[in-house]
Amino acid sequence: GIEGSATAFHLAKNGCHTLLLEQFPIPHSRGSSHGASRIIRKAYVQEHYARMMHEAYDIWQRVEQETGTQLYVKTGGLMVAPITSEGLDQTEKSLTAAGSQFEQLTSDDLKRRFPDLSFPANYRAILDPEAGILKADKALRCFQDLFVKSGGRIHDEEKVMRIDPGDVVTIHTSKSTYKTHKLLLLPGPWAGQLLGPLGLQLPLKVVRISVPYWREKSPGTFSTVRGFPWVKVWKPDKSFRLSELELYGTPSWEYPGTMKLCFHSGPAIDPDDRDGEAGSRGDKEIVEMMCEYVRQHFPGLESIPAIQEACIYTWTPDEDFILDRHPHHRNIIIGAGFSGHGFKLAPVVGKVLCELAMDKQPSYNMTPFAINRFNRAGNLQAKL
């Protein structure tokens, strides 16, 4: 995926002999990094991400320059919430602390600037002018191409079956056996399967995200050509059944005439059975509620999805990433739990994991990403 590919890129760039293992054929749609788009933003509730995003933008630009590929499309990002939203307040504080620009919009501003949205009078918004869309599938390929160009090797269709820890780590795959002094694990939804036998039970939840696309009633209304931004909504109306869920949407871009609009949650699943009964049953319920939400708040869209896709998120309880060494095997470095917002930050995630692997001082405070935070959080335990 994107996190492993970005990490491998940084390792190879720094002269490390690196082998990147992928269990599926490249490219594939089984994990969390496929598809044509992801949002990119500096606007974050957590100040540590707002600061990291400054460097993330810089690295994305360098990747564009080195590959001659446009990856970032500037659209602006609109975050909408009730006027009492603590999340919106904290996002403004984080942007200010990080030195990022933003615009505050009242309910009247929303109605005037975005007449095809319909939110109550007690809602307001923040507009992040530097936000946009990343071309996800192209971004993934660019990192992999640069990794190979820097001397790295990729073995796809090769699943890791077992890991024997030690001063020299032995990795048994479906095709071969490898030995290494340093192992970086970025297994996405399969983190639990690989970390459990290593004595580490992290509080990770794997969920299936339904990704529906909704047709515009008037073609072009929600398009990037007309300057429509991506949208994130915090806590929909209390009258709505999913009152605690966040929602996000990208402008009409991937499929002409349709807007991607999704809830930021879904049913818990086994990653090897994404489209099985549990995922399908939960997906049906989510889409039914999405139809209701679109009718209420996006009247410019048809309220029946035109296209439906799916991806997987791996949540941590606090939605912060896990970027740390194994507590007992310090030469095994873990990146996991990207909680549905890791794609945009992959260039910086890769950099700090590379720094850990090379025994360098990380460029950022790693406390928010430490495994031992779960031991400090009451019943949220990282069991060893």
Side-chain angles (χ1 to χ4, degrees):
I2 190 65
E3 311 297 345
S5 297
T7 302
F9 158 77
H10 281 286
L11 289 166
K13 275 278 191 180
N14 281 275
C16 300
H17 297 291
T18 308
L19 171 64
L20 179 61
L21 295 172
E22 166 58 59
Q23 65 173 317
F24 299 115
I26 294 176
H28 67 85
S29 60
R30 296 290 300 276
S32 306
S33 299
H34 62 281
S37 70
R38 294 293 188 279
I39 66 172
I40 182 169
R41 58 188 164 103
K42 293 181 179 178
Y44 256 102
V45 171
Q46 304 95 326
E47 188 175 326
H48 49 276
Y49 292 125
R51 293 186 182 279
M52 293 167 80
M53 279 308 304
H54 279 283
E55 185 174 16
Y57 270 86
D58 291 341
I59 300 176
W60 282 118
Q61 185 177 33
R62 292 204 300 271
V63 171
E64 286 183 315
Q65 292 169 348
E66 289 187 42
T67 62
T69 306
Q70 184 194 24
L71 301 176
Y72 162 60
V73 179
K74 184 176 177 179
T75 64
L78 185 70
M79 284 136 286
V80 183
I83 57 176
T84 56
S85 168
E86 293 181 6
L88 217 54
D89 290 340
Q90 188 57 49
T91 298
E92 291 173 339
K93 292 177 183 177
S94 296
L95 285 167
T96 300
S100 299
Q101 295 183 339
F102 63 93
E103 186 178 354
Q104 296 174 317
L105 302 181
T106 65
S107 176
D108 289 339
D109 293 332
L110 269 176
K111 291 177 182 178
R112 177 175 51 84
R113 299 266 294 271
F114 304 102
D116 293 292
L117 302 179
S118 177
F119 290 99
N122 66 334
Y123 271 56
R124 67 184 186 92
I126 295 172
L127 185 64
D128 176 354
E130 297 302 315
I133 294 171
L134 290 170
K135 299 180 180 180
D137 46 5
K138 291 185 177 181
L140 182 60
R141 182 58 184 267
C142 283
F143 269 120
Q144 292 168 354
D145 287 347
L146 290 175
F147 167 63
V148 172
K149 186 178 178 181
S150 298
R153 292 179 296 142
I154 300 177
H155 289 188
D156 63 349
E157 297 186 82
E158 187 166 351
K159 184 177 181 178
V160 174
M161 309 301 291
R162 191 176 87 246
I163 298 167
D164 297 332
D167 291 338
V168 175
V169 183
T170 303
I171 302 100
H172 303 272
T173 75
S174 56
K175 294 183 178 179
S176 189
T177 300
Y178 306 95
K179 293 183 182 294
T180 180
H181 290 285
K182 296 283 179 66
L183 173 64
L184 290 90
L185 288 175
L186 294 101
W190 291 269
Q193 295 179 16
L194 286 178
L195 294 173
L198 294 174
L200 190 57
Q201 301 290 337
L202 296 174
L204 297 172
K205 181 181 179 182
V206 179
V207 300
R208 182 187 195 275
I209 302 298
S210 177
V211 185
Y213 294 77
W214 311 81
R215 194 168 304 283
E216 298 168 307
K217 291 180 179 178
S218 176
T221 301
F222 296 89
S223 71
T224 55
V225 175
R226 292 194 184 178
F228 194 83
W230 58 251
V231 179
K232 177 179 178 180
V233 185
W234 270 297
K235 292 191 176 181
D237 305 326
K238 291 183 178 180
S239 61
F240 191 67
R241 282 183 287 168
L242 291 183
S243 61
E244 295 302 312
L245 290 185
E246 294 178 5
L247 171 143
Y248 75 95
T250 56
S252 173
W253 181 71
E254 293 178 52
Y255 300 109
T258 67
M259 179 180 182
K260 178 166 71 175
L261 199 60
C262 325
F263 276 128
H264 200 56
S265 187
I269 59 161
D270 178 338
D272 291 317
D273 191 30
R274 184 192 71 182
D275 300 322
E277 182 179 352
S280 297
R281 184 173 59 249
D283 181 76
K284 182 180 179 182
E285 181 181 355
I286 290 285
V287 171
E288 287 176 355
M289 288 185 278
M290 275 295 309
C291 292
E292 181 182 343
Y293 192 82
V294 168
R295 280 192 292 270
Q296 290 182 17
H297 300 295
F298 289 79
L301 298 173
E302 299 288 350
S303 60
I304 301 296
I307 300 167
Q308 287 184 243
E309 297 177 346
C311 72
I312 300 176
Y313 287 178
T314 308
W315 292 101
T316 61
D318 56 12
E319 298 183 28
D320 273 327
F321 309 157
I322 295 168
L323 308 171
D324 203 354
R325 301 178 187 276
H326 191 292
H328 295 325
H329 309 295
R330 307 297 288 175
N331 57 345
I332 296 178
I333 296 154
I334 300 162
F338 293 99
S339 302
H341 66 105
F343 199 103
K344 68 186 79 63
L345 282 151
V348 178
V349 166
K351 177 184 176 180
V352 297
L353 290 177
C354 174
E355 289 169 340
L356 286 176
M358 298 180 71
D359 299 317
K360 295 181 177 181
Q361 179 66 32
S363 299
Y364 295 89
N365 176 15
M366 301 301 285
T367 303
F369 314 114
I371 288 173
N372 67 8
R373 74 184 192 266
F374 302 117
N375 296 329
R376 301 191 301 265
N379 62 340
L380 303 176
Q381 296 291 313
K383 300 178 182 177
L384 300 175

